[in-house]
């Protein structure tokens, strides 16, 4: 029976040797390491040298753009390979649970990226080509990023809940703290300690954190120490945690960081995830201004486009519903009978909507309607809509926004822990074989 290693050798020879080679030549040819050999196996997927080299090239370009100090080649290879492995494990898990991204959603996202860069889609294609990036490869990378984002959000939604009591306690604590509204920009190093480690292994990880702290105190640049020691997701960005309210860091971290001045570093801080070192890069006051906005009370009818309903069938269906409304049928009743989202049970009522609560195509049409007016069919990423504006108002939402910010801070704090633990569990369950330093 073929061993796993023998299987991969034959696979590589089959893929990369010239088609005209004979069986006799193959039998007596020396076994040489192919240029595009396998550097790691993740479950049943292989990661090739070419794939790793391309990812390293991208990482170097990003670090140069950000002015980051480059780690040595060996460390960079290991970091980038680990990043590819983590991403591959998540994509495999997404396939197992049936997560995917529809082509129309992917098109919308890429269009938004082009618009955000003030480019038309053809201009965007040209920019990618000039940078040596294949549009198809870029498209697949965006698809994978969207899938991973949904996968993480799915995990957070399953495990993270924020109660009104937690929000009340948070606001009370923040009010009592002189630094409660400050935002911090931090350098971060994490030496991870998985749950299943014994005391000897934990001690080894603590010693590794001590080595990192010693190097920092000896004057080694923070990004270089991050590249060598940090297991955190932010390590690929030089260990930088961009501006974040201190309230999102957790009460223990917040109390410690409040005493730092820009440029100061903490000692080693232990948490359930492992051993942390922080460096304060900057601090600024986060203001909570009065927020007065225009809100719209609207309702809608949605016909979704999916595997069962084609684009043309969906449009015909929404046009037929528009005609029925034109003959005087109740919007509320038609929505209850035919709308294909959660608002159907309340007659399509979406409640009071603030700017940004809906997707741009929907919001643009809604804002142009008079109270009582019904729109023509509107296409969004979700399907075909009919929209009716019921009333409008100007509202001071300062308190609501303050509570929402508090809720988001609590959720972010909890989500950070959940995602770190979840990624470690996925990693522990996966079969990973490293071949970076081995000859085939």
């Amino acid at each position: 029976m073929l061993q796993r290693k023998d299987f991969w050798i034959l696979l590589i020879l089959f893929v990369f040797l010239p088609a005209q080679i004979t069986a006799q030549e193959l039998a007596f040819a020396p076994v040489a390491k192919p240029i595009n050999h396998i550097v790691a196996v993740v479950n049943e997927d292989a990661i090739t040298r070419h794939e790793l080299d391309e990812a390293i090239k991208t990482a170097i370009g990003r670090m140069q753009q950000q002015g980051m100090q480059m780690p040595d080649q060996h460390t960079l290879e290991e970091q980038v390979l680990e990043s590819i492995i983590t991403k591959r494990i998540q994509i495999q898990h997404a396939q197992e649970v049936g997560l995917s991204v529809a082509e129309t959603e992917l098109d919308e996202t890429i269009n938004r990226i082009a618009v955000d860069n003030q480019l038309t889609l053809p201009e965007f294609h040209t920019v990618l080509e000039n940078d040596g990036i294949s549009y198809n490869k870029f498209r697949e990378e965006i698809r994978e990023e969207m899938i991973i984002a949904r996968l993480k959000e799915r995990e957070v939604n399953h495990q993270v809940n924020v109660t009104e009591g937690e929000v009340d306690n948070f606001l009370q604590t923040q009010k009592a703290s002189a630094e409660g509204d400050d935002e911090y920009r931090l350098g971060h190093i994490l030496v991870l300690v998985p749950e299943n480690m014994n005391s000897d292994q934990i001690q080894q990880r603590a010693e590794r954190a001590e080595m990192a702290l010693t190097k920092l105190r000896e004057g080694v640049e923070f990004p270089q120490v991050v590249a060598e020691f940090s297991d955190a997701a932010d390590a690929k960005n030089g260990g930088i945690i961009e501006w974040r309210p201190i309230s999102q860091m957790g009460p223990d971290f917040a109390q410690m960081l409040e005493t730092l001045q820009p440029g100061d570093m903490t000692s080693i801080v232990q948490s359930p995830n492992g051993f942390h070192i922080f460096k304060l890069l900057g601090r600024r006051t986060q203001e909570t201004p009065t927020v007065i906005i225009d809100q719209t009370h609207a309702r809608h009818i949605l016909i979704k486009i999916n595997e069962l309903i084609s684009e043309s069938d969906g449009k015909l269906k929404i046009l037929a519903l528009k005609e029925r409304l034109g003959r005087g049928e109740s919007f509320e009743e038609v929505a209850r009978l035919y709308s294909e989202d959660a608002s159907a049970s309340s007659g399509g009522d979406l409640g009071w909507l603030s700017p940004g609560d809906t997707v741009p195509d929907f919001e643009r049409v809604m804002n142009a309607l008079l109270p009582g007016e019904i729109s023509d069919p509107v296409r969004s990423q979700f399907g075909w809509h009919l929209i009716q504006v019921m009333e409008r108002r100007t509202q001071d939402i300062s308190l609501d926004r303050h509570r929402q910010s508090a809720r988001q801070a609590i959720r972010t704090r909890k989500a950070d822990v959940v995602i770190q633990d979840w990624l470690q569990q996925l990693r522990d369950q996966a079969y990973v074989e490293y071949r970076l330093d081995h000859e085939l």
Side-chain angles (χ1 to χ4, degrees), residues 299-303 318 321 325 331 334-335 339 384-386:
R299 56 189 176 189
H300 81 144
I301 298 168
L302 171 64
I303 300 299
I318 204 75
L321 295 178
L325 295 174
F331 193 105
V334 172
S339 189
W384 286 100
H385 307 257
L386 294 174

Side-chain angles (χ1 to χ4, degrees), residues 3-247:
Q3 297 297 314
R4 179 180 290 272
K5 183 174 182 180
D6 297 326
F7 169 80
W8 286 115
I9 291 173
L10 290 177
L11 176 62
I12 294 171
L13 290 172
F14 176 79
V15 173
F16 295 106
L17 284 177
Q20 66 268 26
I21 194 168
T22 66
Q24 187 176 13
E25 289 170 328
L26 178 58
F28 291 98
V31 178
K33 187 176 183 179
I35 294 173
N36 193 22
H37 58 280
I38 292 169
V39 295
V41 178
V42 184
N43 294 321
E44 298 302 321
D45 287 349
I47 298 171
T48 65
R49 180 78 239 185
H50 175 73
E51 185 178 355
L52 177 59
D53 287 343
E54 287 294 308
I56 289 172
K57 188 190 304 182
T58 301
I60 290 173
R62 184 181 65 246
M63 285 188 283
Q64 288 174 338
Q65 283 182 343
Q66 297 177 355
M68 293 168 54
Q69 185 170 343
M70 213 81 65
D72 62 81
Q73 179 67 20
H74 178 74
T75 301
L76 182 61
E77 280 192 343
E78 287 191 338
Q79 274 198 326
V80 173
L81 179 58
E82 194 60 38
S83 176
I84 297 172
I85 289 170
T86 301
K87 184 175 181 180
R88 189 68 58 87
I89 290 171
Q90 291 175 82
I91 293 297
Q92 290 172 350
H93 184 63
Q95 291 170 346
E96 291 172 4
V97 300
L99 276 182
S100 62
V101 171
E103 295 301 315
T104 52
E105 293 177 86
L106 186 56
D107 289 339
E108 288 281 343
T109 299
I110 293 175
N111 284 337
R112 282 200 300 274
I113 293 172
V115 170
D116 289 344
N117 287 276
Q118 299 180 332
L119 297 169
T120 65
L121 204 53
E123 289 171 342
F124 188 56
H125 285 204
T126 302
V127 169
L128 290 175
E129 289 175 8
N130 291 341
D131 288 342
I133 301 171
S134 159
Y135 175 73
N136 288 335
K137 181 182 177 183
F138 175 81
R139 184 180 175 85
E140 288 310 305
E141 286 178 352
I142 295 299
R143 186 197 303 276
E144 289 185 349
E145 292 299 328
M146 291 173 68
I147 288 172
I148 289 173
R150 289 183 181 181
L151 191 63
K152 289 180 177 178
E153 187 64 21
R154 176 179 180 269
E155 199 65 29
V156 170
N157 287 340
H158 284 170
Q159 298 194 46
V160 175
N161 180 50
V162 180
T163 67
E164 291 303 312
E166 286 177 308
V167 173
D168 292 338
N169 291 337
F170 177 94
L171 292 174
Q172 189 63 36
T173 301
Q174 191 179 50
K175 185 177 179 181
S177 170
E179 306 291 341
D181 291 332
D182 279 3
E183 290 184 321
Y184 285 60
R185 186 171 184 266
L186 301 167
H188 176 223
I189 293 171
L190 167 64
V191 178
L192 192 65
V193 178
E195 287 183 5
N196 56 352
M197 279 193 169
N198 58 40
S199 57
D200 290 339
Q201 291 172 319
I202 293 173
Q203 180 59 35
Q204 289 175 3
R205 303 301 285 173
E207 290 171 2
R208 180 173 171 81
E210 288 286 356
M211 289 172 59
L213 184 60
T214 298
K215 288 202 171 191
L216 289 171
R217 287 174 173 169
E218 289 173 351
V220 179
E221 292 292 331
F222 199 90
Q224 188 173 335
V225 180
V226 167
E228 185 175 352
F229 291 95
S230 185
D231 301 315
D234 50 51
K236 63 183 178 182
N237 298 321
I240 304 299
I241 300 176
E242 290 296 351
W243 294 104
R244 177 181 289 193
I246 187 65
S247 52

Side-chain angles (χ1 to χ4, degrees), residues 340-359:
E340 297 174 347
D341 80 338
S343 70
S345 60
S346 57
D349 195 338
L350 298 171
W352 286 102
L353 300 172
S354 302
D357 283 350
T358 62
V359 293

Side-chain angles (χ1 to χ4, degrees), residues 327-376:
R327 293 199 299 265
E329 290 194 38
S330 162
F331 193 105
E332 182 178 351
E333 289 305 314
V334 172
R336 286 183 190 278
L337 291 171
Y338 299 104
S339 189
E340 297 174 347
D341 80 338
S343 70
S345 60
S346 57
D349 195 338
L350 298 171
W352 286 102
L353 300 172
S354 302
D357 283 350
T358 62
V359 293
D361 291 333
F362 187 104
E363 185 172 293
R364 185 179 62 255
V365 173
M366 179 184 71
N367 288 343
L369 295 174
L370 296 172
E373 187 178 2
I374 299 173
S375 72
D376 289 328

